[in-house]
Structure formats: C-alpha cells, structure tokens
C-alpha cells in the first residue's frame, strides 16, 4: 500500500513539475525558433503541446522514481528485521 501511495504522490508531483518545465521549454521554443504570434499561435503551441507532454513525461517519471524508492525502502526494511531476529 505504501508503494502505491508513494507512486501516486510521485505521479501528481511529477505532473506538476513536468507541466511547469513544459511551459518553460515551450516558451524557449517560441523564442528560439521565432514562432508566429498571429492569433495566439505561440500560446496555443505552448499550452496545448508542450505543457501536456511535460505533464505526461513528468508524471510517469515521478511515479516510477517514487515507486522504485518505496520498493527499495521496503526491501531494505525487511532485510534489517531479518538480521535483528538472527542476532537474538
């Protein structure tokens, strides 16, 4: 249960962070490649392309990272308990 909850937390935090990074990358893209601002094209490009992609990539990365960290923590905790029982 701990692994699932931490993976969900990683998903949410990763999605928020990835969306923010996606907006930053999109703004940089529009400045570097001089994207047309006619009828808000550059804004639509940033908020309908880069932000969702950043949120998806960040969410998956965050969920994976937090899930792996929680899984390894559980594995280490079990090993610690077993060494204590053998010492007694």
């Amino acid at each position: 249960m701990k692994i699932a909850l931490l993976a969900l937390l990683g998903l949410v935090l990763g999605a928020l962070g990835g969306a923010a990074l996606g907006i930053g990358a999109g703004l940089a893209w529009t400045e570097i490649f001089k994207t047309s601002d006619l009828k808000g094209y550059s804004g639509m490009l940033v908020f309908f392309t880069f932000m969702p992609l950043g949120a998806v990539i960040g969410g998956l990365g965050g969920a994976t990272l937090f899930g792996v960290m929680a899984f390894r923590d559980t594995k280490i905790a079990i090993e610690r308990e077993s060494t204590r029982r053998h010492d007694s």
Side-chain angles (χ1 to χ4, degrees), residues 25-75:
L27 290 174
W29 178 278
T30 59
E31 288 297 317
I32 292 169
F33 295 106
K34 305 292 184 211
T35 305
S36 171
D37 200 25
L38 182 68
K39 296 184 182 180
Y41 178 71
S42 61
M44 288 189 292
L45 176 68
V46 170
F47 287 100
F48 291 133
T49 303
F50 283 95
M51 186 177 69
L53 283 176
V56 168
I57 293 169
L60 291 175
T64 303
L65 180 69
F66 275 50
V68 168
M69 286 177 16
F71 181 73
R72 286 186 180 171
D73 183 46
T74 303
K75 195 173 186 179

